[in-house]
Amino acid sequence: MEIKNTILVVDDEEFVKKSLTDVLVDEFEVIGAWNGKEALEILERNINKIAVIVLDLIMPVMDGFQFMEEFRRHKEYYNIPVIVATSNEDWHSEKKCLEAGVWDFVMKPYNPVLLQFRIKNAIDKSRMIMSERDAVTGLYTKFKFYQEVRMLLADAHDGDFAFVRIDIDRFKMINNFYGIKEGDKVLSSVAKELDRVALVFDQFAYGRLENDVFAVCMPYQEENIDLLVKALQINLKKVNKDYNIKMSCGVYVIKDRTMDVSEMYDRAFLAAKNCKGKFVESVAYYDDSMIENMRQEQFIINEVNKAIDEEQFEVFLQPKINLVTDKSYGAEALVRWKHPDRGMISPGEFIPVYERNGIIGRLDQYMWRHVCMLLRRWLDEGKNPNPISVNVSRVNIYNPHLVEILKKLITEYRIPAGLLNLELTESAFMEDQALVMKTMSRLHDIGFKIMMDDFGSGYSSLNVLKDMEVDYLKVDMKFLQQSQKFNSKGEKVITSVIRMAKWLHLPSIVEGVETLEQVDFLKCIGCEYAQGFFYAKPMPIEEYEAFLEQENMRVTGSFTDENADIIGEIWNTRSNTGIFFDMLDIPIAIYEYRNNKIELLRANKKYDNDISFEKGIDENEHNRRVRNECNILLEEFGKLVRGEFFEPVEYEVVSDLWYRLSIKPIGRRADTMIIMVTFCEISEYKQ
């Protein structure tokens, strides 16, 4: 069924309304109002429905002139034609009506043919104007504004002009939180202020181009731009102080008046991007470097498909170092782009571009697949690889097929899920926590380990930790550092983060570690892992494999060099250290661990008396306890060597007799590790 245009007939005479309805009903839907006040109420409810208003001038409550006075205050009614019905040819009344914004007149009694002709003519004219005028603000639309700019620049004989793009920051938030009407109120307020500023200048074109974007072409002087921006800012604060509205204004000083207006807009847009999201800066001017940056960004976007198809992106690996053993335990996979013509392109150049344009999701999946291929190769070569972590961007964490994609990959390459760790930035958790939690739970069920990357860089870290089931916490040293040297506040903050992680049973990884001072500090506060240039830079796969081979061949210096004398003293029962070792009132034993076998090297007297199990028990019970202790230590020593996270172990020797074991490596000789175990009875805490 064809939708009819709706005519609002405003007249207090029932006979007139009925006769009009009879004339128009075949082609239009007719709504009647008794007076101007009722008409305004109907209009507010049917603003997108009313095509034409036929208005009588003489009515009770609110006459036609009063109606027009109120009608003109609403720019959203700008495109609705008003035809006045009159019974006399009073030119004074006609003049007053035209000044009030009336479009046309029709004489009573109505000539049906003439009336329909005038209504259709008004509708056609309204549609034409609507293509030129914005319905909410009444300003020029984009096409009409561009025409006006072209005419302004053609008529101007001298002087410089500026093209100004005005964007309201966080406008979407106003619509979402306060409603569309409040958003329209803000837009109308900007339009009214532009109307007022336009009165100051002889040459001034302006319009609403889209959503919350306005544009102005005006004579250029820096004080003119300042006047415009300050006027708009003051006006926006008056709308509602709670909105905290800010604008981003990009200015292009027009050098070539023959340039397409759309290109002027593009240059002003590039300038506006420089102050978007910055609280202090509201105005930025275009310079030629911006267009070069845009060309570079477009090149990066255009090349992505070819780069993926030709496998120009390469996997680089940066080792993660276990700070207890000083040996690597896995690595993070980082992308590098080796372009055939431009050579190596820095991730800092293409990653932000791909994030802004939604391409990062494809690059993520490219990296996941290539890491799975690498892990499969290592497994086929008989190696026992440690986990490799890959980044999961915000785009992919909200991908409804993420779990299926990852599951398909590890199934295709026959990779244990535990070998492919997933790094999610903290900001990725913020948008839809319920969805992220559900996704993480499904990934955990499959066996994936999840790291929260960049912990502390956002504002809701603690709240996220409370709810999200992450397996590792990753902190960047740079987020605490203001210089090369530590400061006391920085030390306290990172110490608190590491300790909090321990309370939550989360291993912590600190990246960006560059100095020995930082390494010593992290060891002192109990950080489990470190990653950074101090140990190794990101490297190609071949270099990483060579790094692992060299690591397996060399003796770890820190334990041997720092503790060799102490270990020697402990072996010497006649030395002061050995005597002190035996006098300690805590059971302590020192073991040798090699090839998944342990041997007790030395124990103090407290261990012999409380733990040795050799007195007062039969041989079977003694053997059972030794096997029990040996099995526990083998499992924990294995974790230590593999670089896995471990906590003090609690175990029950016999009924109601509990010990907690604290394990610490104190030396290494080739493939042999020397480990000290401290036994602390905790039976009373278990009751």
Side-chain angles (χ1 to χ4, degrees), residues 24 32 112 115 120 195 219 227 229 237 261 274 374 422 494 514 531 549 551 577 579 651 674:
L24 302 173
L115 177 61
K120 288 181 179 180
D195 287 337
L227 169 67
V229 174
K237 288 180 181 178
V261 179
N274 279 5
L374 174 63
L422 309 176
I494 199 167
E514 298 178 352
Q531 180 182 344
E549 289 180 10
E551 184 180 60
T577 303
I579 294 171
Y651 81 105
I674 310 301

Side-chain angles (χ1 to χ4, degrees), residues 1-11 13-34 38 42-43 45-46 49-55 110 115-116 119 123:
M1 180 178 176
E2 184 180 353
I3 299 175
K4 297 180 180 180
N5 288 310
T6 300
I7 309 296
L8 174 60
V9 178
V10 189
D11 199 308
E13 295 183 28
E14 181 63 28
F15 171 77
V16 174
K17 281 193 296 191
K18 186 177 184 308
S19 63
L20 266 176
T21 301
D22 291 341
V23 170
L24 302 173
V25 71
D26 289 339
E27 295 191 46
F28 304 100
E29 180 181 346
V30 181
I31 300 176
W34 290 99
E38 185 182 1
I42 292 172
L43 189 58
R45 295 194 301 269
N46 298 274
K49 189 176 180 183
I50 304 297
V52 175
I53 300 171
V54 179
L55 177 70
Y110 300 110
L115 177 61
Q116 290 183 1
I119 287 175
I123 290 173

